Amino acid sequence: GCYELITFSLTSSSGSITDGKRGSCMGPACFLGKNRFAVLDRQTRQIVVKNLNNETTKRVQPPALTVDAIFDGGASGRLILRADDRAILFEVQSRRVLGEVTAPKMKTVVWSPDGSKVAIVCKYGVVIANKQLEQLSSVTDTVRIKSGAWDMSPSGGTANEIFVYTTLNHVKYCLATGDTGTIRTLDHPIYAQMVMKDQLFCLDREARARIVSIDTTEAKFKLALTKKKYGQVMHMVKHSRLCGRAIVAYLQSEGFPEVALHFVREPKTRFRLALACGNIDAAIECALALEQQASGESKEAGRRDTWGQLASEALRQGNHQVVEMSYQRTSDFDRLSFLYLITGNIPNLRKMLAIANKRGDIMGRYHNALFLGNAEERVKVLEESGNTPLAYISAKIHGLEDDAERIKVYIETNGGSVEGLMDKVSAANKKSSCLLQPPTPILKDTKWPTRDVAKSTLEDFEAAADEYVDEEVKAQNDATIKDVTSWDNDDFEESNKTSAVVAAMDDLDLDDDDMGDWGDDLDLGDDMADEKEEVVDEMNGLTDMGDDSGGFAMPEAGRPPAACWATNSSHAAVHIAAGNASSAMQLLNRQISVSDFTKIKDAMIGNYLGSFTSMPGIPGSGSMSIALMANDASNHPGNQTLPRTSLKMKKLVSGIRSGYRFFQGGKFNDAKDAFTSVLTDIPLVVTDSRNEANEVKEMLEICREYITAIRIKGAISENAGNAVRCTELSAYFTHCNLQPAHLLLALRSAMGTAFKHKNFILAASFARRLLELPDMSSERNADLRVKATKVLQKSEQMARNEHELNYNDSLTFEIDCKQFLPIYAGEPSVKCSYCGSSYSDDSMKNKVCLTCTFCTVGIQTLGLITGS
């Protein structure tokens, strides 16, 4: 292919075309801005950007190697690329792919006048997408599509909404919602250029301009219905030829049976529509009309079917009065008895027993007697039906001795015997048996509670039609008023900008993507693009009853609190409370690198169970599980709800205190269990403030230090025969961050160990540190103060260490939690992602930490998340 760049004047109609420049390309050429355009190089398949002098300013490699055509991208600097069966929205400057959609055998693209939508015309279909190339709908056809154009009518609300396309013999339309239809047939193929007020401006095959009249009433009707402009819908129903079976079927399939209900008069169709939209009153009216029209043998079958459907819909809505009436008209006595049972209508249930008795309905009598708890009637029914053994057993069980004796005489008179009958009733059933009585209903209202709503235009179409004013008529009236009231202002129609300013702005070309040496390599990505701050409309959600487009909409079904928790927080405890164990485990793995979930399994289960409470339901039903919410003190939080978790700061503090107490008493195993329990609970604690978050992190450090100290204490016991190692471990023990009272015990033990093994320099260091503690000034530590003073004096006299130790108290170091060796500043080490325990051995990387026992060492993560 090739392109030709021409320049002509927009002001002078007689001006000649000048400065024609040509070039070769692949596919069409597209403008990227006011003074540059892009073509696809035929040889290299690169996107070539040129200026108005036809000079190449930039070459860009397309994102796909199979790109064979470029089209307008709908905005400055954007292109739509055709690659195989895909359409790619590409930004030339940043070289980013902004969107992609499937478009097989793509021919061209047509942008709506406002640039909000694009129609991708393919060989056998049309794809409608938004400006980010996200698909809204697609239409397929059996014949080739020739062309297409968007509706540009200034009035009527159809601009940028209706896309009209042509095939070999038809003019058709499609909407962004996916609705489509045929407008008219054609004698000869045409190529659409513009649609304006039911006129299609097009070219024929001889390239002659033609204007074809079209009727887009059906498209406008569907569009108004989608946008809930019910006044316009009713206006079109009254003044257009739309009331047919096809439109009624469309309304019902699209979920608008209440719209069709207002102009359908045939009782059977109207009855079906009334049931579909839940209009019980209209359904009763139609059912009565159908009952009057029916005749002959089909009357009974049709009546039962009609009233049966009405009863099902009324029962779904909880309208017990209509259900009762329907069952009475169909003589459905079994369902009617059960209805009286569940609604607690005992008097009517007794009447049903009498009716069953008059009708001679044995099973009906027995069922009603069973519902009423009437043992005498049940014995009587069993006796009359010939089931005398069952009647005798029932009489004996219910304590009806007179009836049992009478039945016994009858059985024996007829040659039978009652011996062994009661043996068929097990002893367990005799002990646990009780009289079957109907439950007492808590609420005896005839209907379920319903919400009172104001009558909207959706229910009152006559008012909607009166309020609706045709936009074209309104526009003409406004134009007439403007012509009468406006002054002639021909002298002031020129823009305030001078021609020099306009020319300077055009030469400046602020939209040019070619930035020369000022190129910006910063690529923020789609998710970091500038977004306008969303203005919150406080009146949003309130229905405007005066507007024809503000029809009443049923309240949306609410979401259970647990379904909202996981979306409102990134804390693992919230996800566990919501029952999303998998997402909670993923969060714990990403945030603190948890790998062994068996250690925190009990805490997770307790957290889940603690977020719900169980309340007993009505008699005969199960208990109800109710979610406990943390932020519902003043009012219901709606979808922003958060759970009330069972693990609190109070439990952590209690665990820390228990660990202190065990450590003070020398019960190191119990102390380790207490601190480990706190470590497993901390990831599932949700804090309410920054101070609480800092306290939780401080508790995490305390647990780590004390568990490390206890493990070192155990290693001292294991190396009791090794003087060098025992002394080193005692020294490391004093460098754990312990409470002053516990540090005193550690220094006393280390001082004794060092003095015992004749390491006097080290013993003197421990003695000095011991004497510097504030607690040494108290009377209860007087003996220890005297002993430390003597050790210091003796050690200063000897002034030698018997052994060479791996310990230097003048340097800052951390303790290797595996080998219990010092890691001095500057030496390589790896840390636990959760508790922060250090390890000098690279072999511990990607292994479970020895301190917390459930997190992986050496993985860099975000860290502990404490707030919701």
Side-chain angles (χ1 to χ4, degrees), residues 385-640:
S385 62
N387 295 289
T388 51
L390 289 177
Y392 176 76
I393 294 174
S394 181
K396 290 291 289 184
I397 289 177
H398 291 91
L400 303 175
E401 297 297 339
D402 294 339
D403 292 336
E405 186 63 28
R406 177 175 49 81
I407 297 171
K408 177 181 177 182
V409 172
Y410 176 79
I411 293 175
E412 291 177 349
T413 302
N414 290 275
S417 176
V418 297
E419 294 182 2
L421 288 180
M422 296 307 298
D423 295 339
K424 297 180 180 180
V425 183
S426 62
N429 291 337
K430 290 180 181 179
K431 294 181 180 179
S432 60
S433 60
C434 59
L435 180 62
L436 184 62
Q437 290 284 350
T440 302
I442 297 176
L443 298 175
K444 293 185 179 181
D445 292 340
T446 56
K447 293 182 180 181
W448 286 355
T450 56
R451 180 180 179 183
D452 295 331
V453 295
K455 194 172 185 180
S456 67
T457 55
L458 178 59
E459 298 172 324
D460 190 0
F461 271 76
E462 297 296 333
D466 295 339
E467 293 176 3
Y468 175 74
V469 179
D470 195 340
E471 293 189 14
E472 294 185 5
V473 176
K474 182 179 179 181
Q476 293 177 1
N477 295 337
D478 293 344
T480 303
I481 295 173
K482 183 177 180 180
D483 292 340
V484 173
T485 58
S486 298
W487 291 347
D488 292 337
N489 198 21
D490 296 338
D491 296 334
F492 295 94
E493 289 181 357
E494 295 295 330
S495 173
N496 291 331
K497 294 183 180 179
T498 64
S499 58
V501 174
V502 174
M505 293 296 289
D506 289 341
D507 294 337
L508 183 58
D509 188 17
L510 297 178
D511 293 333
D512 195 358
D513 292 331
D514 190 5
M515 301 176 64
D517 292 336
W518 292 94
D520 187 1
D521 293 332
L522 183 61
D523 187 2
L524 297 178
D526 291 339
D527 56 345
M528 295 293 290
D530 293 338
E531 296 182 359
K532 294 182 179 180
E533 183 179 357
E534 184 179 359
V535 179
V536 179
D537 186 4
E538 296 180 354
M539 299 298 290
N540 188 22
L542 297 180
T543 304
D544 185 5
M545 295 302 177
D547 190 3
D548 59 356
S549 63
F552 169 72
M554 287 295 293
E556 295 183 1
R559 298 174 62 194
C564 306
W565 291 345
T567 59
N568 295 337
S569 175
S570 60
H571 199 291
V574 176
H575 285 246
I576 294 172
N580 295 341
S582 59
S583 62
M585 294 168 70
Q586 290 178 1
L587 287 174
L588 289 172
N589 179 263
R590 293 171 183 171
Q591 294 169 0
I592 58 176
S593 188
V594 177
S595 57
D596 187 0
F597 289 94
T598 58
K599 301 296 174 55
I600 60 174
K601 177 182 177 182
D602 293 340
M604 294 173 68
I605 294 175
N607 187 82
Y608 171 71
L609 296 177
S611 298
F612 292 86
T613 186
S614 182
M615 292 184 61
I618 61 176
S621 66
S623 59
M624 297 177 289
S625 180
I626 298 178
L628 299 177
M629 292 177 283
N631 52 346
D632 61 344
S634 56
N635 51 29
H636 196 285
N639 289 338
Q640 302 302 317

Side-chain angles (χ1 to χ4, degrees), residues 73 190 204 677:
I190 58 174
D204 58 16
S677 176

Side-chain angles (χ1 to χ4, degrees), residues 318-335:
N319 194 331
H320 302 148
Q321 290 179 339
V322 177
V323 176
E324 181 182 2
M325 180 184 67
S326 301
Y327 288 162
Q328 288 174 353
R329 285 188 171 270
T330 56
S331 300
D332 198 340
F333 297 108
D334 293 338
R335 285 190 172 90

Side-chain angles (χ1 to χ4, degrees), residues 327-347:
Y327 288 162
Q328 288 174 353
R329 285 188 171 270
T330 56
S331 300
D332 198 340
F333 297 108
D334 293 338
R335 285 190 172 90
L336 193 58
S337 295
F338 192 75
L339 176 68
Y340 291 146
L341 172 67
I342 62 177
T343 55
N345 197 337
I346 304 302

